[in-house]
């Protein structure tokens, strides 16, 4: 392996998540977050299952152990059912570029969850990173809002320049992602205890197998929501839409299959801090394609805010 293998994998992950966000923004606006989540997790399970079957002879990790399944399933419910449901709805309301910006809240959320669940200490640098993340998001979403009065005068005040609903969805996405990551770490630790890797291939298989368990739990959660909401017809209508299915398939390949699995693999070849910092570049990488593809108006303040947020996220891994 090249000495920069982990860094290269991390950059591939950042690019993959950028492509995923753009594809899923289109698909979310076309068919809704619930249908998209069900279809892309079903696709992810098929992709992961095929890969696992080719290597291990089983489409699911039969040797993971009950505790690993429990924690990874819980991670899937928190990270996918809560976090990604919020994320895809944020794409509908505020677009993938701003939706991805809120994902910089994942490291602070993971740090807080790690403090309570793993007993990890929060350093001064981590606390500073949390404040910088929030500052960067604030720079992006806060602006002057104006209104006219009866005399024809305009009053200006500082306020949120994007829909509050989008802010709440975005924040929920970042928080769900961060907590889900900590839960998946606990699950993978149990997985390694139950089935210690004997070869380099085993070390590669475990992240993909862990992602499969999370996907199974996430799909079960979304199907439950669909039955409660009686949204089966919407799902069937989405499946018949070729453009939606194409965007969902592309986003699934680069996201739940390639991106998530490679993100877990990257930390095996480089320090977690370096890998996480590089993978956190998505809010910056997505700026130009969002402008080119979706013709979004992007201000210098928004670019500065994205850079500040990514710097804040990076501080967690120093």
């Amino acid at each position: 392996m090249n000495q920069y293998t982990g860094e290269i994998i991390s950059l591939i992950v950042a690019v993959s998540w950028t492509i995923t966000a753009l594809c899923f923004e289109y698909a979310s606006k076309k068919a809704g977050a619930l249908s998209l989540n069900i279809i892309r997790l079903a696709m992810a399970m098929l992709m992961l299952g095929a890969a696992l079957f080719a290597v291990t002879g089983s489409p699911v990790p039969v040797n993971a152990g009950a505790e690993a399944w429990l924690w990874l399933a819980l991670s899937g419910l928190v990270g996918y059912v809560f976090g990604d449901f919020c994320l895809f709805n944020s794409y509908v309301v505020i677009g993938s570029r701003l939706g991805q910006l809120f994902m910089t809240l994942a490291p602070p959320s993971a740090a807080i969850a790690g403090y309570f669940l793993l007993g990890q200490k929060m350093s001064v640098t981590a606390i500073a990173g949390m404040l910088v993340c929030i500052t960067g998001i604030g720079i992006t979403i806060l602006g002057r809002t104006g209104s006219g009065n009866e005399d024809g005068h305009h009053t200006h005040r500082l306020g949120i320049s994007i829909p509050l609903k989008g802010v709440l969805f975005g924040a929920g996405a970042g928080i769900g992602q961060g907590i889900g990551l900590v839960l998946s770490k606990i699950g993978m630790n149990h997985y390694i205890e139950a089935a210690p890797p004997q070869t380099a291939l085993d070390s590669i298989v475990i992240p993909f197998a862990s992602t499969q368990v999370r996907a199974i739990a996430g799909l079960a959660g979304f199907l439950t929501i669909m039955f409660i909401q009686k949204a089966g017809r919407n799902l069937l209508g989405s499946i018949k839409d070729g453009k939606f299915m194409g965007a969902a398939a592309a986003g699934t390949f680069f996201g739940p299959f390639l991106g998530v699995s490679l993100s877990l693999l990257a930390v095996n070849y480089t320090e977690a801090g370096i890998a996480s910092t590089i993978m956190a570049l998505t809010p910056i990488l997505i700026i130009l394609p969002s402008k080119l593809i979706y013709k979004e108006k992007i201000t210098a303040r928004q670019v500065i805010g994205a850079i500040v947020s990514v710097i804040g996220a990076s501080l967690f891994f120093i």
Side-chain angles (χ1 to χ4, degrees), residues 60-132:
V60 295
V62 293
N63 59 343
E67 287 186 298
W69 271 84
L70 174 63
W71 285 101
L72 289 170
L74 185 59
S75 171
L77 293 175
V78 174
Y80 287 148
V81 179
F82 175 73
D84 282 356
F85 183 77
C86 288
L87 180 63
F88 292 167
N89 274 291
S90 77
Y91 289 172
V92 174
V93 179
I94 58 177
S96 58
R97 178 176 60 84
L98 291 175
Q100 279 296 310
L101 175 67
F102 282 96
M103 294 304 285
T104 57
L105 291 174
S109 301
I112 294 172
Y115 174 81
F116 287 105
L117 295 176
L118 298 173
Q120 297 176 340
K121 295 182 179 179
M122 290 185 63
S123 65
V124 174
T125 304
I127 296 173
M130 189 180 305
L131 296 175
V132 173

Side-chain angles (χ1 to χ4, degrees), residues 13-278:
V13 171
V15 174
S16 294
W17 284 343
T18 300
I19 297 172
T20 295
L22 294 168
C23 291
F24 283 163
E25 176 180 352
Y26 173 84
S28 294
K29 290 179 177 177
K30 197 165 182 62
L34 181 58
S35 293
L36 175 58
N37 271 299
I38 291 173
I39 290 172
R40 62 108 184 187
L41 284 176
M43 289 179 174
M45 282 178 54
L46 292 175
M47 293 178 187
L48 289 163
L52 289 174
F53 183 80
V55 176
T56 68
S58 172
V60 295
V62 293
N63 59 343
E67 287 186 298
W69 271 84
L70 174 63
W71 285 101
L72 289 170
L74 185 59
S75 171
L77 293 175
V78 174
Y80 287 148
V81 179
F82 175 73
D84 282 356
F85 183 77
C86 288
L87 180 63
F88 292 167
N89 274 291
S90 77
Y91 289 172
V92 174
V93 179
I94 58 177
S96 58
R97 178 176 60 84
L98 291 175
Q100 279 296 310
L101 175 67
F102 282 96
M103 294 304 285
T104 57
L105 291 174
S109 301
I112 294 172
Y115 174 81
F116 287 105
L117 295 176
L118 298 173
Q120 297 176 340
K121 295 182 179 179
M122 290 185 63
S123 65
V124 174
T125 304
I127 296 173
M130 189 180 305
L131 296 175
V132 173
C133 276
I134 295 172
T135 299
I137 292 174
I139 290 172
T140 302
I141 69 173
L142 294 179
R144 290 182 178 271
T145 58
S147 60
N149 55 30
E150 295 180 355
D151 298 327
H153 294 90
H154 290 272
T155 58
H156 296 277
R157 60 183 180 182
L158 188 66
I160 298 176
S161 58
I162 63 175
L164 178 60
K165 187 177 181 180
V167 174
L168 295 176
F169 277 134
I175 293 170
Q177 176 75 12
I179 297 175
L181 182 62
V182 173
L183 294 173
S184 67
K185 179 178 177 59
I186 297 173
M188 285 184 63
N189 288 341
H190 284 296
Y191 194 145
I192 293 171
E193 289 178 3
Q198 303 297 321
T199 65
L201 180 60
D202 291 340
S203 298
I204 296 174
V205 167
I206 287 177
F208 282 84
S210 298
T211 305
Q212 176 74 313
V213 177
R214 297 182 73 215
I216 291 171
L219 180 61
F222 281 119
L223 286 174
T224 301
I225 294 174
M226 183 192 71
F227 285 121
I228 292 174
Q229 295 184 351
K230 299 179 180 179
R233 289 186 178 180
N234 293 338
L235 178 63
L236 292 176
S238 300
I239 294 174
K240 296 177 182 179
D241 189 324
K243 291 184 178 179
F244 165 80
M245 291 297 289
T252 299
F253 176 79
F254 286 105
F257 176 71
L258 187 66
V260 174
S261 298
L262 288 183
S263 70
L264 298 177
L265 179 63
V267 297
N268 289 334
Y269 292 99
T270 188
E271 294 181 14
I274 295 174
S276 299
T277 299
I278 296 173

